[in-house]
Amino acid sequence: MRWTRDAARAVAIACAAVGLGCAGELEPPVPAAHPDDPTPRRGGVLHLASFADMRVIDPANIADGLVPRVNQAIFAGLVDYDGSGRVVPDLAERWEVLDGGRRYRFFLRAGVRFHDGEELTADDVVRSMERALHPSAPNPYASFYESIVGFAEIQDKKSEALAGVTAEGKYVVDVRLKDVDATFLPALGLQVLRPVCKSAGRRYSDTWQPCGAGPFKLLPGGWDKGRQITLVRHDGYFRPGLPYLDAISWSFLVNTATQRFKFETGALDLLQDFRQAELLRFQRDPRWKPLGEYEAERQVGAESMNTELAPFDNVEIRRAVAAAIDRDHIRLIRPGNLRAAGLPIPPAVLGANPSLPGQRYDLGAALEHMKKAGYPYDPATGRGGYPHPIRYVIYRQGLSEYTVQLLAQDLAKIGLRLDVQVVNYPSYLAITHRRGKAQMTSAGWQQDYPDPSDFLDPLFHSRAINDEDSNNVAFYKNPRLDALLDRARRELDPPTRQRLYDEAQGIVVDEAPWAFTHYYRWYDAHQAYVRGYKPHPVWTHNVSFSWLDRGPSAQAGLAPRGPSTVLGLLGGRRGAP
Amino acid sequence: MAVTRRLKRSVSFRVGLVLVALLVAFAVLGPVVAPRDPFTSDFARAVSPDEMPVGPTRDFWLGADLIYRDQFARLALGARYSLVIGVVATLLATSLGALVGVVAGYYEGARGVRVGRATVVALAAAFVAWIYVGNAPAIALAAVAIASTLPPIAKRAERLGGVELDADGVLMRAVDVLLAFPFLLLVMAIGAAFERTSPATILFVLGVTGWLGTARVVRAKVMQIRHLEFVTAARSLGQSTPRILLRHVLPNISGPLVVIATVSVAQMILAESVLSYLGAGMEPPTPTWGHMLFEGQDAYTGAPWLLWAPAALILASVLGFNLLGEGLRDALDA
Amino acid sequence: MTRFVAQRLAWAIFVVWATASIAFVTSSVLPSDPARMVAGPQARPEDVARIRVQLGLDQPVWVRYRLFFRRLVHLGPAAEKAKDHETCGTLAWVHVDLGKSYQQRRGVVAILADRLPRTASLALAAVLVQAAIGVASGTFAATRRGRPADHLAVAASLVGVSAPTYLIGLLLQYVLAHRLRVLPLDGFGQTPLEHAQSLVLPALTLGIFGASYYTRLVRDEMITELRKDYVRTARAKGVSRVGVVVRHALRNALVPIVTVIGLDLGALLGGAIVTEQVFRWPGLGSLSVTAVLDRDGPVIMGCVIVTAVAVVTLSLVVDLAYAALDPRVRKR
């Protein structure tokens, strides 16, 4: 019987090793060398890492979440967003709005150099736009620019040129629109239409070496796919003296735990991919707390109710659901990243209005709505409610796998039963975008460009309803809302526009095609010696104009672990993790 | 009886029996004694001051999970699901494997349908022609293939040899194809066909993928038994084949089959956890150990109890069934 | 013998073709849209539709099936990278083309050429680890049958068989990489040295899991061998104990073990899905998982074909080796 005891002991040791958890203390942050000197210093390489990977770098094919971070350093556009998400000049010095909003005239800076040394002129701007909107490009965002004259023709292959975009001289570009479109400028701030070097040619190709007019350039061999990319300073960048950094380097497919270790010891300069427990630990540590900041919330999470299918064709049931969800509990699934939500547009998106009354938890009101809907429910006896189970579709291994379990508990309290159907992600997309399939699904939206139309139009306008690829997953149709959204889209006066969108949000909140549950926000921690870095409302990890103030002693490297750790492990340190 | 005596003496059998008995007791009694409901989040007591789930305490014996439910209650309920899945999937897979293995083994070497070489070559050529040239020559060649199966031509062609499609060959080739087929794609395809992953899907997946090894072993055993005197005697007495298989062959492979089945329960419990790992496990909020282990993995820096508790249970149950199988094998074989 | 080889070869080709065909049809009829996976969850229907046309997904399944096999093996210019042959792997005039990945927008042949050596090195390392541990501890246990060392080896191997690979992997990862930080947590690293370091944990994980099985196999085989007459004779003739064990018994016991090694290698060459996931080893296993999750048809097909060829080839080799050793098999 001896060996059974040995085996048992081995198992016990193994379990103890796993059960120890991660030892608590964080290393102190690497200090800045001259914390009181605000003058930017030149030089140095900034190191970033990500859990994910990136496949193609090309403004005409932005397919991965990581690409915009790299694109932002390589490509400069006619316009960009400032720190509050407003559109500001970049390659264009200024622009004029003509013909009552049907024509935009951009005046380029003279003498801007691409990375290959060639001058950037109006022809390059026209060529790049045409290249990105030509149907041979696998551009997932082309339709953002459908209001440009000639867009339909080029997409339908009736024309090879984009008629509405013309060079009016060496430094002047005209863009004509079919109709007044207030979303044109906000969408133009994206990277999709940014000018690319002549080497890119007139048509998209998968083998092009990225080249633009941004502050950093990619040298041949600088991108080791699936592992690492290094961008070096573009000395001909049009803003004098910028950028300060010699280079930026991203490592890909790096485990969150590895990132954390590297960040702690100064081998990484910014950190965003936290595990939940780690994030809370960094936020609690007084030495690290001042070095962290939340990014603007750009993502809203919700429960979508299919308004074409029973019981959600009844607005009272939808209102009941919206009032039954305890959003503070949802937040506790990931307290470091979630915030309770009640409005469709996250507070940090330009044009949001957090002061509007949103959906909120009120169990009494929810029961009242159930009664009005004709399905009164008595919580004391558990009698009544909607008699059939509601088919709820989610995908595997996402946040929604947890939110639905809380939702089911909340809805049970008002007499609604969920029949949860878990599918894999591709099937989830197919099922939820198809008409008449799912009664209820977990849904969400992430800002493409900072404007209320980016949230409300694709999600709740009846034009976004399709039999197959419907972005309006609630299949919600309301002529009053449609009219408001159409008017707001054509309204160029900001205060009037804001009023229209406020009213539109009011309708969505009240009619509740979606019950909003949470905003997702990322937490950024940076090193004390990373200066001039501020989270941006559109671009994640926009470090193009940051600078490093790092003492010579603070060398990167992992602290070696000595025998004491080994003994600690075998000794089975228990207690609080 | 010798077998019982050997079983009683076998240490592995005894340890395995104790482990399995403990787990069964946990599955039966656990949900009854658990002080909390496995499906209800407790935001009053399960949230620590750091806004994390609480660890093992007097209230929550094995800590709370990521949405603040009692892990002990969930593990206890999960024991029922995991054990039932393990046992039922084993029954499915073993009976399918035994059926295929017995048929293949019994008919091994028996004559099947002979497909002439001309037919095979013409069929292959028709396929290649369709791929590279076009429909017309493909149809022509397919016609040749059909023609060459017609009795007068086929008879003349038989001297040239060809492929023999007998029960054994066809079944074993099917096993080959399934073994070469990627497990994950199969899981997804089945999941997609059912449109959801319910207990039935999981059992189906495990059953469909789990019988291949059994079939091979059973086939080998049957091939040995087939030529033994009592089988040939039964055959010469004119007993029907199903009767021979049921009365004479099956009882003689039941020993190895029981061993395979016992070990297979362990394999199935493992496979279910791998399925959860690959994103094809049970639907929430139903707890299974495999799925709980998968969830715990993400949280092990902050809430390690979510990882080690299901891990220990999976390890214990797999070990238990393996030991049981070990003991049975020794007792039946030695 | 030639006839036997030819027949087995024909079957092997048939098995690969059947597997590939089933996989093609399966992945084509899954109710989901690869174009949507390329365009992203928020893409508008117009953009999704355009990408669908670009990928050729608007055509019926049988047209795509035919195109796939026509392209799979075709003739072309011997010079590499001629236009229209960008995604080909060439062997003089014979081209192998699996098309272009929807997601990565690179030739699948090139992607597989990146991944296969990594998976092969992992498979080889794992097989070496499990064979080394298995043979050593199995022999050790067999020569000390019934003693504590034997029980310990058997118990350890039972625990090993009972633990899922990802549990072993997580444990190793936690202890060696997370706590002691002597090895990288996961990934592949940047330099050859880092590649080697990153290989250790996944190889150990697979190795330990497999070694348990090998230990039992070697132990059983050795016990049978050690009971045989020739061992007694050799001992009587004065050959040392170690000499008998190593030179005679082990050599005879190795035959079945080599068979198992061959089959294992074939299975591992398709990629160890779970282990590669745990350690994010960029091999075929993790490639096939992402491909299936992204509905990246060409990559799925590439992985299926490589897996099937590996399994079939290795079992063919094992069969042939058997046939060469045992004339009775050849008759089948």
Side-chain angles (χ1 to χ4, degrees):
Chain A
M1 289 300 277
R2 185 122 121 277
W3 64 269
T4 33
R5 262 209 313 279
D6 289 341
R9 193 169 302 149
V11 173
I13 289 176
C15 292
V18 179
L20 278 172
C22 191
E25 282 305 291
L26 295 172
E27 310 276 332
V30 183
H34 314 85
D36 304 320
D37 182 2
T39 344
R41 282 155 204 278
R42 279 177 83 84
V45 182
L46 191 100
H47 292 277
L48 299 159
S50 173
F51 189 79
D53 190 17
M54 189 178 75
R55 291 166 288 205
V56 181
I57 303 177
D58 192 316
N61 179 16
I62 301 172
D64 296 296
L66 271 182
V67 177
R69 308 184 190 183
V70 176
N71 271 359
Q72 188 60 15
I74 299 181
F75 303 100
L78 292 179
V79 294
D80 202 342
Y81 310 106
D82 70 2
S84 62
R86 245 176 281 279
V87 177
V88 291
D90 200 34
L91 288 177
E93 269 174 328
R94 63 192 175 88
W95 66 83
E96 287 170 356
V97 185
L98 305 167
D99 302 349
R102 284 188 171 75
R103 187 148 63 98
Y104 284 77
R105 170 163 287 182
F106 295 93
F107 298 91
L108 301 183
R109 287 170 200 267
V112 173
R113 297 278 162 195
F114 278 121
H115 296 157
D116 58 10
E118 301 248 12
E119 192 185 4
L120 188 156
T121 63
D123 287 332
D124 294 310
V125 176
V126 175
R127 177 179 50 82
S128 303
M129 287 194 181
E130 218 174 84
R131 177 179 177 275
L133 299 183
H134 192 270
S136 63
N139 188 346
Y141 300 108
S143 61
F144 286 180
Y145 308 97
E146 62 190 358
S147 56
I148 296 178
V149 169
F151 177 84
E153 286 76 8
I154 196 170
Q155 283 279 312
D156 298 343
K157 298 183 178 163
K158 283 182 198 138
S159 160
E160 283 292 294
L162 189 58
V165 181
T166 47
E168 308 285 327
K170 199 175 176 191
Y171 299 115
V172 181
V173 177
D174 266 15
V175 180
R176 280 179 295 127
L177 304 182
K178 282 184 289 210
D179 200 353
V180 181
D181 184 359
T183 68
F184 171 69
L185 265 188
L188 188 66
L190 292 177
Q191 297 153 347
V192 181
L193 301 183
R194 293 190 176 180
V196 290
C197 298
K198 293 188 177 59
S199 63
R202 307 188 64 81
R203 295 292 171 257
Y204 175 87
S205 114
D206 284 324
T207 49
W208 172 58
Q209 161 89 5
C211 172
F216 290 88
K217 61 182 171 186
L218 176 64
L219 297 178
W223 184 17
D224 186 1
K225 286 198 181 186
R227 286 182 228 173
Q228 198 254 350
I229 190 169
T230 303
L231 306 179
V232 300
R233 176 167 52 217
H234 172 37
D235 285 315
Y237 184 58
F238 69 88
R239 292 182 200 273
L242 286 172
Y244 306 114
L245 296 169
D246 286 338
I248 309 175
S249 149
W250 278 269
S251 301
F252 304 118
L253 300 173
V254 187
N255 187 301
T256 42
T258 312
Q259 283 189 46
R260 194 273 242 184
F261 292 145
K262 289 194 167 179
F263 179 70
E264 224 179 320
T265 51
L268 275 181
D269 300 322
L270 275 97
L271 183 61
Q272 189 181 65
D273 296 346
F274 285 101
R275 278 175 192 253
Q276 194 59 205
E278 301 285 321
L279 196 161
L280 298 176
R281 191 168 288 146
F282 270 87
Q283 283 181 338
R284 275 197 302 269
D285 191 311
R287 299 163 304 173
W288 283 100
K289 191 173 172 30
L291 299 173
E293 209 175 334
Y294 275 109
E295 287 203 351
E297 295 118 336
R298 295 182 290 230
Q299 212 174 324
V300 64
E303 309 298 346
S304 164
M305 292 165 266
N306 193 326
T307 57
E308 291 183 339
L309 301 178
F312 298 118
D313 51 352
N314 184 337
V315 68
E316 287 301 331
I317 295 256
R318 301 203 300 267
R319 286 178 181 143
V321 170
I325 300 173
D326 192 335
R327 292 155 177 90
D328 279 327
H329 289 168
I330 301 243
R331 185 187 69 84
L332 281 171
I333 298 172
R334 237 173 251 182
N337 294 110
L338 301 185
R339 239 179 64 161
L343 289 167
I345 302 176
V349 173
L350 193 72
N353 187 352
S355 65
L356 291 174
Q359 298 170 346
R360 51 184 198 86
Y361 172 60
D362 184 342
L363 190 57
L367 289 167
E368 201 53 40
H369 286 303
M370 287 298 289
K371 198 182 284 171
K372 276 192 218 158
Y375 300 106
Y377 177 75
D378 181 6
T381 59
R383 250 184 244 140
Y386 186 68
H388 311 291
I390 294 164
R391 191 171 165 215
Y392 185 101
V393 180
I394 52 161
Y395 60 94
R396 281 279 164 204
Q397 301 180 357
L399 181 65
S400 51
E401 213 174 319
Y402 297 106
T403 52
V404 65
Q405 299 183 57
L406 291 188
L407 178 77
Q409 294 180 36
D410 280 346
L411 293 190
K413 292 177 193 151
I414 60 165
L416 295 175
R417 274 179 302 136
L418 293 186
D419 168 30
V420 181
Q421 174 182 358
V422 188
V423 296
N424 52 55
Y425 187 58
S427 307
Y428 162 82
L429 289 181
I431 293 174
T432 53
H433 287 71
R434 190 170 298 157
R435 197 167 205 151
K437 272 297 231 185
Q439 283 169 293
M440 195 175 190
T441 73
S442 134
W445 195 260
Q446 197 176 355
Q447 163 189 287
D448 294 305
Y449 52 86
D451 192 80
S453 65
D454 180 47
F455 283 80
L456 298 175
D457 281 24
L459 295 178
F460 306 116
H461 197 295
S462 66
R463 209 177 332 121
I465 295 180
N466 265 296
D467 282 346
E468 276 299 318
D469 278 304
S470 185
N471 277 346
N472 184 342
V473 289
F475 295 86
Y476 176 65
K477 199 174 210 164
N478 181 340
R480 199 156 68 88
L481 180 73
D482 288 356
L484 274 174
L485 293 179
D486 289 339
R487 256 180 72 202
R489 198 182 182 92
R490 303 187 61 237
E491 179 59 61
L492 293 178
D493 174 49
T496 318
R497 218 168 160 244
Q498 182 76 49
R499 253 200 325 280
L500 292 171
Y501 280 125
D502 285 357
E503 199 183 326
Q505 285 203 65
I507 293 176
V508 173
V509 163
D510 173 52
E511 296 237 300
W514 283 20
F516 303 100
T517 53
H518 63 271
Y519 305 121
Y520 202 95
R521 50 182 185 169
W522 295 96
Y523 187 74
D524 270 356
H526 64 88
Q527 301 283 3
Y529 57 78
V530 175
R531 311 278 300 269
Y533 173 73
K534 192 113 189 71
H536 190 276
V538 183
W539 309 125
T540 302
H541 281 179
N542 183 15
V543 292
S544 293
F545 305 130
S546 304
W547 47 284
L548 292 173
D549 176 27
R550 192 170 196 180
S553 60
Q555 280 306 314
L558 289 177
R561 287 289 168 114
S564 62
T565 337
V566 187
L567 293 177
L569 175 74
L570 296 176
R573 262 194 297 176
R574 297 199 193 168
Chain B
M1 221 176 121
V3 173
T4 355
R5 207 177 54 237
R6 277 202 295 266
L7 275 182
K8 272 186 189 157
R9 270 211 338 251
S10 160
V11 177
S12 7
F13 185 78
R14 268 149 56 193
V15 175
L17 200 62
V18 168
L19 270 175
V20 171
L22 280 176
L23 288 164
V24 171
F26 181 54
V28 174
L29 298 176
V32 183
V33 301
R36 290 166 182 283
D37 180 66
F39 298 116
T40 311
S41 307
D42 184 346
F43 290 97
R45 268 166 298 182
V47 188
S48 78
D50 304 338
E51 301 201 315
M52 291 285 289
V54 292
T57 58
R58 278 188 56 191
D59 251 1
F60 294 84
W61 297 346
L62 287 171
D65 77 353
L66 289 171
I67 54 173
Y68 309 98
R69 295 170 299 200
D70 181 32
Q71 183 169 228
F72 178 83
R74 291 184 64 74
L75 282 171
L77 188 59
R80 292 186 177 177
Y81 284 102
S82 293
L83 292 180
V84 168
I85 285 180
V87 170
V88 176
T90 295
L91 288 180
L92 272 177
T94 313
S95 35
L96 189 59
L99 185 69
V100 172
V102 165
V103 171
Y106 190 74
Y107 285 108
E108 193 265 346
R111 287 188 71 90
V113 184
R114 184 169 282 277
V115 181
R117 184 172 291 176
T119 318
V120 173
V121 170
L123 272 179
F127 178 75
V128 172
W130 176 60
I131 293 293
Y132 288 101
V133 191
N135 291 334
I139 292 168
L141 280 163
V144 172
I146 294 167
S148 62
T149 58
L150 298 175
I153 310 174
K155 204 163 241 172
R156 208 171 307 150
E158 196 165 356
R159 266 177 291 125
L160 291 168
V163 188
E164 189 165 315
L165 295 179
D166 54 312
D168 176 44
V170 169
L171 287 172
M172 285 303 114
R173 247 20 79 182
V175 169
D176 283 351
V177 171
L178 277 174
L179 276 177
F181 201 80
F183 177 65
L184 186 65
L185 192 62
L186 192 66
V187 171
M188 298 248 162
I190 295 173
F194 283 78
E195 270 212 348
R196 64 191 302 167
T197 44
S198 59
T201 335
I202 290 174
L203 288 176
F204 191 78
V205 168
L206 296 179
V208 160
T209 55
W211 60 273
L212 303 171
T214 314
R216 284 194 163 173
V217 174
V218 169
R219 172 174 174 267
K221 288 277 172 201
V222 172
M223 277 162 63
Q224 286 173 7
I225 293 169
R226 192 168 53 129
H227 296 297
L228 296 182
E229 278 159 30
F230 62 90
V231 180
T232 32
R235 208 169 358 201
S236 53
L237 283 174
Q239 288 192 4
S240 70
T241 310
R243 202 183 156 85
I244 296 174
L245 291 182
L246 215 61
R247 279 284 179 80
H248 303 284
V249 177
L250 211 55
N252 279 288
I253 56 162
S254 62
L257 217 51
V258 166
V259 176
I260 291 176
T262 316
V263 177
S264 160
V265 174
Q267 299 304 319
M268 291 302 176
I269 291 175
L270 276 188
E272 191 272 326
S273 66
V274 171
L275 279 187
S276 287
Y277 193 90
L278 295 175
M282 290 282 274
E283 305 183 311
T286 311
T288 64
W289 292 344
H291 196 69
M292 294 177 74
L293 182 72
F294 173 77
E295 288 182 348
Q297 202 196 119
D298 225 27
Y300 77 94
T301 53
W305 55 89
L306 295 180
L307 180 65
W308 64 249
L313 281 173
I314 289 181
L315 200 62
S317 62
V318 178
L319 193 61
F321 281 104
N322 272 339
L323 283 168
L324 216 56
E326 181 88 346
L328 277 174
R329 193 186 68 162
D330 285 351
L332 292 170
D333 273 1
Chain C
M1 186 72 190
T2 340
R3 186 165 163 168
F4 173 75
V5 173
Q7 236 178 38
R8 292 292 285 125
L9 206 63
W11 270 125
I13 292 173
F14 174 79
V15 168
V16 172
W17 169 79
T19 313
S21 297
I22 296 175
F24 192 94
V25 175
T26 313
S27 64
S28 308
V29 299
L30 287 184
S32 48
D33 185 0
R36 168 61 77 177
M37 297 311 292
V38 170
Q42 296 191 187
R44 301 180 183 187
E46 309 88 283
D47 294 316
V48 178
R50 178 167 35 78
I51 289 171
R52 192 174 302 131
V53 174
Q54 279 174 5
L55 298 178
L57 292 168
D58 51 335
Q59 289 164 328
V61 176
W62 64 271
V63 174
R64 281 186 279 144
Y65 177 83
R66 192 179 155 200
L67 177 69
F68 177 81
F69 274 97
R70 177 156 44 183
R71 209 173 37 187
L72 184 62
V73 181
H74 63 257
L75 301 180
E80 233 183 300
K81 299 301 157 224
K83 206 165 162 27
D84 301 334
H85 292 273
E86 275 169 12
T87 53
C88 292
T90 54
L91 191 77
W93 293 88
V94 181
H95 288 206
V96 174
D97 186 359
L98 285 155
K100 203 175 207 177
S101 157
Y102 300 155
Q103 294 277 340
Q104 304 188 37
R105 305 195 62 89
R106 282 171 70 205
V108 175
V109 172
I111 296 174
L112 292 176
D114 275 358
R115 300 279 183 141
L116 196 56
R118 300 177 195 157
T119 285
S121 55
L122 178 57
L124 265 177
V127 165
L128 283 181
V129 170
Q130 62 194 32
I133 301 180
V135 169
S137 62
T139 316
F140 188 73
T143 52
R144 280 163 186 71
R145 193 169 182 215
R147 282 191 258 173
D150 178 30
H151 290 315
L152 191 68
V154 172
S157 73
L158 256 179
V159 174
V161 167
S162 306
T165 39
Y166 61 84
L167 210 55
I168 302 177
L170 285 172
L171 189 67
L172 287 176
Q173 195 177 36
Y174 183 78
V175 175
L176 292 175
H178 211 104
R179 301 282 306 184
L180 307 180
R181 299 200 196 170
V182 289
L183 288 165
L185 267 173
D186 57 10
F188 187 56
Q190 319 279 345
T191 62
L193 179 68
E194 283 175 13
H195 299 338
Q197 285 176 337
S198 311
L199 179 66
V200 175
L201 282 182
L204 265 184
T205 303
L206 285 172
I208 289 177
F209 183 70
S212 320
Y213 179 66
Y214 280 59
T215 305
R216 303 163 70 75
L217 188 70
V218 173
R219 178 177 170 270
D220 291 355
E221 290 290 331
M222 284 295 285
I223 287 173
T224 322
E225 289 298 324
L226 285 174
R227 273 196 202 136
K228 285 191 178 158
D229 286 345
Y230 72 89
V231 173
R232 226 170 299 151
T233 320
R235 282 290 279 153
K237 282 202 311 202
V239 181
S240 74
R241 222 183 110 79
V242 179
V244 171
V245 170
V246 174
R247 222 171 306 146
H248 298 274
L250 188 58
R251 205 155 82 188
N252 287 321
L254 272 181
V255 181
I257 292 156
V258 171
T259 318
V260 179
I261 288 182
L263 293 176
D264 267 4
L265 200 60
L268 283 172
L269 276 177
I273 289 181
V274 172
T275 307
E276 287 194 9
Q277 283 288 92
V278 170
F279 292 101
R280 305 197 315 131
W281 182 256
L284 284 174
S286 48
L287 180 73
S288 59
V289 173
T290 16
V292 169
L293 290 179
D294 284 342
R295 297 290 187 266
D296 195 339
V299 178
I300 296 180
M301 290 311 297
C303 292
V304 168
I305 289 180
V306 170
T307 313
V309 168
V311 170
V312 164
T313 314
L314 266 296
S315 65
L316 184 66
V317 168
V318 168
D319 275 6
L320 292 183
Y322 255 41
L325 294 173
D326 186 349
R328 278 171 303 175
V329 181
R330 253 175 270 161
K331 280 187 281 174
R332 271 289 291 154

